[in-house]
Amino acid sequence: MRAGRLKHRCAFMESQKVKRPGGSIIESWVELGKLWAEITIPTGRIATVADQLQRLVSAEIRIRHRVDVIAGMRLVHQTKTYLIEAALPDNDQTMLRLLCSNVVNP
């Protein structure tokens, strides 16, 4: 049995408004769950696609297809946080290619 390419365990997060005990509402990143991913650095032809996103893309992340993944959400792997710039499905609707940028101060 092979481990496969999806070998990175990531937390999937989205920004939500959360009510604090004092009654104030703040924007906070809430974990929606865990997923398996393949994280790579874009090179060659992929870098050309990244250039169209104003050179923000620093990683390409592949995950199994999900309908709830959109640009603006985050993936966290160990100590690195990635902001999803674009979610591109493959032709078979089995995988998603996420073009992501690093978040410096998550």
Side-chain angles (χ1 to χ4, degrees), residues 23-85:
S24 63
I25 297 175
I26 60 166
E27 288 272 335
S28 180
W29 288 96
V30 177
E31 183 176 323
L32 299 177
K34 302 269 188 193
L35 51 84
W36 290 100
E38 174 190 11
I39 301 173
T40 57
I41 305 301
T43 58
R45 187 175 143 209
I46 298 167
T48 319
V49 175
D51 287 341
Q52 295 175 1
L53 293 171
Q54 301 170 354
R55 301 181 187 267
L56 294 174
V57 174
S58 59
E60 177 185 351
I61 300 175
R62 291 184 184 271
I63 62 170
R64 288 186 181 89
H65 189 270
R66 294 177 61 130
V67 294
D68 58 344
V69 177
I70 59 172
M73 293 182 166
R74 288 184 177 181
L75 285 176
V76 179
H77 176 254
Q78 294 176 348
T79 60
K80 289 197 175 199
T81 301
Y82 300 98
L83 177 66
I84 300 171
E85 301 291 344

Side-chain angles (χ1 to χ4, degrees), residues 29 88 102:
W29 288 96
L88 309 170
N102 283 336

